[in-house]
């Protein structure tokens, strides 16, 4: 109690989490967890390999990719984006249109997808990122709708009926379009992308994103060009979303504007918030929950959305910082002491990594 | 040789209020200059203008001969200006070390490709960032935990972290906006020592301070502001004897007649 009264800023109290790492939180921060998650994803088809399970699994994996992309924008940089699914639409339509028009394998469309996503990031981010918080959210909401309505009304995007017959993935002559191979393909791609977003978060650029999130003026005073940094977050988010769109288009082989409605943006955002903004691991957990929970509740018929909603509200009330929030902690040994404390938890990591099989 | 920082006839207006009205002063490398004045004299506004947070109506700010008037704060910071804020502006949810790394953004040393592939360049620059952060925390005499979020620190420690972050910018010009506010006596002693250490690194230190003891002891030169412009500029002793300064701080003896420092009478509540 006395601790709380000292800290006047009680509204942000739930995020005050920073005691030195206990054994449990060390476990939660260990590097092996990522491998464990990857192993679970790889082993899943051995447990359940029906077409239905594979389809759900692939959708969930793609959803993880989207959530980790939105995490860059919302979690790291603190920019509330309510139209994130627009970038997925850009990626899906670009690869769909190009692969159909020139009968290209879908992987060959990726350079064009990247280009279009960067362009979309610039076009959407350019004007909107001068706005702050609430205004930004409303404008991104608008842009999300603009992209969907554009796709709904253009001839090249197939109008309301969308695009059919988008090819599956093949790699070095190997057909990966079957349910199980495609699932594995998605797992590998998404694992790499998730790792990438986590690494970005721990870099100079990732720190700059957090500085902007925490205090834009202070960041600016330290020479961080906040506009460029925010635009970079937007572009990376767009690329992650666009790749998600490619996987999505190839998975369903058909896309239409109905796939990119606001509800989808909201669900991705929910995954990020529920999982724990700014922490890749939390976001992955959040994405899995959001994409799989409705499936587990399928027996309940229409009631499942009610239960889904109640669960979400309950989580947000009981744990507003998300399942697994990012935790600001790092070993605090100054360089001189580090050498003496050779047995410390952080020093031998690099050598130990080589030793473990 | 022209001085490092030169502020010339600076004017800032908010609607009809001229917060800064024709301020001119300068600061040299290796010099500690204090800016003092009653509340509302325009000291912080002037700082915000020098660092680019406010756009001046007229006047110029030059740093090392280069015109930085009205540029973006990040651009001004890149030319070699660093600052602290009157009310702490740290990154509350980030660790102490990360906060200090905030001052090092312009060191560069890696790009996103390095980060994605964890190249040797990335590892090297990350290690350098961490070493530097420790070095600057040592420099300001910070003794607390370094891997914990700054929001958990005591106020005096947060001040130190903000100082370390500002110093990590390695700027030619260091602007300190009331660095002593809320510090106890011994912390203020340390602050004086720190200001001298910063000066000895060759930077120009400009500080806003209300504690006259601090001001008179540490500064080589004192600029007194009132009503948005300087009313005196000189060594502490000169300033102490300046009648305009005494008037601004203690008020004028009861005599009729307009006041030459600016419109309206000086604030009497100030001590």
């Amino acid at each position: 109690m006395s601790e709380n009264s000292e800290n006047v800023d009680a509204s942000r109290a739930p995020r005050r989490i920073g005691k030195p790492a206990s054994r449990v939180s060390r476990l939660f921060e260990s590097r092996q967890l990522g491998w464990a998650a990857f192993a679970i994803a790889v082993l899943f088809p051995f447990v359940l390999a029906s077409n239905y399970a594979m389809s759900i699994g692939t959708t969930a994996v793609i959803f993880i990719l989207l959530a980790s992309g939105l995490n860059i924008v919302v979690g790291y940089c603190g920019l509330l984006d309510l139209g994130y699914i627009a970038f997925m639409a850009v990626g899906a339509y670009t690869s769909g249109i190009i692969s159909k028009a020139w009968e290209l394998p879908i992987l060959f469309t990726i350079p064009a997808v990247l280009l279009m996503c960067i362009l979309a990031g610039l076009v959407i981010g350019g004007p909107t990122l001068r706005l702050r918080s609430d205004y930004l959210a409303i404008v991104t909401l608008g842009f999300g709708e603009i992209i969907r309505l554009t796709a709904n009304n253009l001839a090249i995007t197939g109008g309301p009926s969308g695009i059919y017959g988008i090819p599956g993935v093949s790699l070095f002559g190997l057909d990966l379009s079957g349910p199980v191979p495609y699932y594995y393909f998605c797992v590998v791609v998404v694992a790499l992308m998730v790792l990438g977003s986590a690494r970005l978060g721990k870099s100079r650029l990732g720190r700059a994103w957090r500085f902007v999130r925490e205090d834009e003026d202070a960041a600016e005073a330290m020479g961080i060009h906040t506009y460029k940094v925010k635009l970079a977050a937007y572009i990376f988010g767009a690329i992650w979303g666009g790749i998600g769109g490619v996987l999505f288009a190839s998975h369903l082989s058909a896309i239409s504007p109905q796939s990119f409605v606001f509800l989808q943006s909201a669900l991705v955002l929910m995954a990020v918030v529920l999982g724990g903004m700014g922490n890749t691991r939390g976001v992955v957990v959040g994405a899995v929950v959001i994409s799989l929970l409705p499936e587990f509740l399928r027996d309940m018929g229409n009631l499942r959305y009610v239960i889904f909603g109640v669960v979400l509200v309950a989580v947000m009330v009981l744990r507003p910082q998300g399942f697994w929030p990012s935790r600001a902690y790092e070993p605090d040994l100054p360089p001189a002491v580090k050498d003496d404390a050779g047995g410390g938890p952080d020093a031998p990591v690099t050598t130990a990594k080589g030793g473990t099989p | 040789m022209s001085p490092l920082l030169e502020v010339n006839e600076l004017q800032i207006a908010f609607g009809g209020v001229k917060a800064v009205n024709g301020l001119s002063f300068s600061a040299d490398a290796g010099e500690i200059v204090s800016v003092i004045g009653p509340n509302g004299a325009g000291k912080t506004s002037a700082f915000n203008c020098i660092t680019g947070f406010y756009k001046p109506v007229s006047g110029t700010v030059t740093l090392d001969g280069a015109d930085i008037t009205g540029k973006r704060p990040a651009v001004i910071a890149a030319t070699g200006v660093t600052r602290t804020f009157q009310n702490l502006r740290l990154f509350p949810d980030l660790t102490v070390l990360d906060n200090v790394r905030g001052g090092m953004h312009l060191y560069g040393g890696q790009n996103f490709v390095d980060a994605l592939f964890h190249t040797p360049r990335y590892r090297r620059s990350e290690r350098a960032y961490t070493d530097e952060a420790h070095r600057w925390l040592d420099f300001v005499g910070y003794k607390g935990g370094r891997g914990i979020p700054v929001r958990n620190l005591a106020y005096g420690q947060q001040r130190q972290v903000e100082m370390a972050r500002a110093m990590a910018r390695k700027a030619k010009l260091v602007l300190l906006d009331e660095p002593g506010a809320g510090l106890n006596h011994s912390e203020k002693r340390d602050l004086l020592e720190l200001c001298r250490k910063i000066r000895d690194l060759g930077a120009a230190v400009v500080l806003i301070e209300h504690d006259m003891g601090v001001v008179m002891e540490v500064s080589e030169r004192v600029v007194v502001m009132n009503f948005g412009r300087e009313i005196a500029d000189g060594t502490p002793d000169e300033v102490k004897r300046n009648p305009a300064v005494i008037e601004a701080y203690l008020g004028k003896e009861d005599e009729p007649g307009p006041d030459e420092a600016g419109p309206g009478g000086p604030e009497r509540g100030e001590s």
Side-chain angles (χ1 to χ4, degrees):
Chain A
M1 272 291 117
S2 63
E3 248 182 57
N4 265 346
S5 59
E6 233 174 51
N7 199 324
V8 186
D9 200 358
S11 61
R12 307 187 69 186
R15 291 174 77 185
R16 259 181 77 223
I17 21 144
K19 287 276 169 307
S22 68
R23 194 159 296 188
V24 177
S25 54
R26 282 243 180 81
L27 177 74
F28 274 98
E29 244 127 85
S30 91
R31 285 156 169 270
Q32 273 68 39
L33 273 186
W35 285 109
F38 185 68
I40 291 171
V42 167
L43 292 177
F44 174 59
F46 291 99
V47 182
L48 211 67
S50 66
N51 279 357
Y52 170 68
M54 282 298 92
S55 174
I56 300 297
T58 308
T59 310
V61 170
I62 294 171
F63 201 72
I64 291 174
L65 173 57
L66 293 178
S68 75
L70 186 61
N71 185 40
I72 296 175
V73 181
V74 178
Y76 292 159
C77 205
L79 306 166
L80 186 52
D81 186 346
L82 293 179
Y84 185 65
I85 216 72
F87 295 124
M88 186 192 182
V90 169
Y93 272 105
T94 307
S95 74
I97 291 167
I98 292 178
S99 65
K100 286 269 285 179
W102 287 290
E103 300 194 340
L104 277 174
I106 197 147
L107 292 184
F108 282 49
T109 65
I110 284 182
V113 168
L114 293 181
L115 203 71
M116 284 302 289
C117 285
I118 292 171
L119 216 64
L122 286 173
V123 168
I124 298 180
T128 57
L129 290 178
R130 296 178 194 280
L131 304 170
R132 286 194 187 197
S133 59
D134 310 2
Y135 306 101
L136 175 72
I138 290 166
V139 175
T140 54
L141 180 67
F143 265 111
E145 288 301 286
I146 288 173
I147 298 272
R148 183 177 65 84
L149 291 173
T150 308
N152 207 15
N153 288 294
L154 284 184
I156 191 172
T157 55
S161 51
I163 301 175
Y164 293 93
I166 299 164
V169 169
S170 63
L171 202 62
F172 308 119
L174 216 69
D175 184 26
L176 297 177
S177 55
V180 176
Y182 190 67
Y183 170 78
Y184 277 125
F185 175 74
C186 285
V187 165
V188 171
V189 171
V190 171
L192 289 176
M193 299 287 286
V194 168
L195 180 67
S197 81
R199 284 187 167 184
L200 281 178
K202 282 186 192 142
S203 69
R204 168 173 174 264
L205 182 59
R207 276 195 297 273
W209 286 334
R210 289 199 171 86
F211 298 149
V212 169
R213 180 191 73 196
E214 295 284 308
D215 190 326
E216 219 176 307
D217 288 338
E220 188 80 34
M222 289 300 117
I224 296 166
H225 199 298
T226 52
Y227 180 67
K228 283 185 193 163
V229 162
K230 286 195 275 185
L231 205 54
Y234 232 64
I235 289 171
F236 276 108
I239 291 172
W240 261 240
I243 299 294
V246 176
L247 295 180
F248 177 80
S250 178
H251 174 47
L252 296 185
S253 85
I255 48 173
S256 73
Q258 277 88 55
S259 313
F260 309 108
V261 290
F262 169 67
L263 177 68
Q264 295 297 325
S265 292
L267 283 176
V268 181
L269 184 63
M270 215 182 280
V272 173
V273 175
L274 194 74
M277 285 194 278
N279 184 17
T280 309
R281 291 152 184 230
V283 166
V284 170
V285 172
V288 170
V289 169
I290 292 285
S291 57
L292 293 189
L293 197 58
E295 297 303 327
F296 283 120
L297 296 173
R298 194 166 277 277
D299 295 340
M300 318 236 175
N302 281 336
L303 203 61
R304 69 187 170 132
Y305 286 113
V306 177
I307 295 173
F308 187 55
V310 170
V311 170
L312 291 179
V313 171
V315 170
M316 284 293 97
V317 169
L318 297 174
R319 205 169 159 78
Q321 72 273 43
F323 291 136
W324 194 348
S326 76
R327 189 168 159 285
Y329 176 76
E330 58 185 313
D332 65 354
L333 303 170
V337 185
K338 220 182 243 172
D339 294 336
D340 304 337
D346 60 325
V349 164
T350 40
T351 47
K353 214 177 85 188
T356 41
Chain B
M1 211 189 93
S2 67
L4 179 72
L5 170 74
E6 221 174 345
V7 176
N8 196 12
E9 287 298 318
L10 200 65
Q11 274 199 22
I12 313 165
F14 301 105
V17 182
K18 286 196 170 133
V20 176
N21 192 6
L23 171 70
S24 303
F25 76 96
S26 66
D28 256 320
E31 184 182 38
I32 300 178
V33 179
S34 291
V35 179
I36 62 171
N39 286 335
K43 305 178 297 284
T44 298
S45 293
F47 263 33
N48 282 340
C49 198
I50 294 169
T51 50
F53 286 95
Y54 295 161
K55 302 268 174 280
V57 177
S58 66
T60 56
V61 181
T62 44
L63 183 78
D64 233 355
D67 187 11
I68 57 168
T69 320
K71 294 223 169 93
R72 202 190 159 88
V75 174
I76 291 176
T79 59
V81 180
T82 191
R83 70 171 293 179
T84 63
F85 292 86
Q86 187 172 1
N87 310 305
L88 287 171
R89 298 291 289 270
L90 286 161
F91 308 121
D93 284 328
L94 303 183
T95 64
V96 172
L97 286 170
D98 259 353
N99 268 274
V100 183
R101 288 185 190 116
M104 302 179 201
H105 182 77
L106 295 173
Y107 293 10
Q110 52 164 289
N111 57 31
F112 71 90
V113 181
D114 295 317
L116 284 175
F117 297 101
H118 276 195
T119 60
R121 244 162 70 91
Y122 167 81
R123 288 172 201 282
R124 224 180 305 129
S125 71
E126 284 298 300
R127 210 170 305 132
Y129 274 108
T130 307
D131 291 349
E132 275 288 297
H134 281 298
R135 222 165 60 76
W136 287 113
L137 285 168
D138 292 341
F139 180 84
V140 301
Y142 176 79
K143 301 233 163 42
R146 296 181 175 194
I148 55 173
V150 283
R151 74 160 59 250
N152 296 359
L153 300 181
Y155 184 79
Q157 290 184 320
Q158 295 196 358
R159 280 261 172 223
Q160 286 183 316
V161 174
E162 199 192 28
M163 200 70 127
R165 181 181 73 183
M167 290 314 301
R169 183 63 280 288
K170 285 186 185 165
K172 295 179 269 191
L173 175 65
V174 181
L175 300 172
L176 307 175
D177 195 346
E178 294 198 32
L183 298 185
N184 65 31
H185 193 70
S186 79
E187 286 170 332
K188 274 202 177 144
R189 291 268 113 219
D190 297 340
L191 179 69
L192 290 186
E193 212 36 61
L194 183 59
C195 286
R196 295 199 179 101
K197 266 169 85 180
I198 297 170
R199 176 199 55 198
D200 293 342
L201 292 176
V205 182
V206 180
L207 69 147
I208 295 174
E209 186 52 68
H210 277 301
D211 188 326
M212 283 305 139
V214 171
V215 169
M216 295 307 164
E217 188 176 341
V218 79
S219 8
E220 267 108 38
R221 218 144 50 71
V222 179
V223 176
V224 188
M225 277 183 80
N226 202 9
F227 302 112
R229 55 172 304 130
E230 81 285 356
I231 55 172
D233 184 342
T235 64
D237 284 333
E238 285 167 15
V239 164
K240 254 190 271 186
R241 284 194 297 270
N242 190 316
V245 176
I246 296 166
E247 185 192 312
Y249 271 84
L250 300 176
K252 208 169 178 175
E253 280 176 43
D254 279 332
E255 298 171 23
D259 173 88
E260 49 117 45
E267 284 170 74
R268 278 163 189 273
E270 203 54 52
S271 58

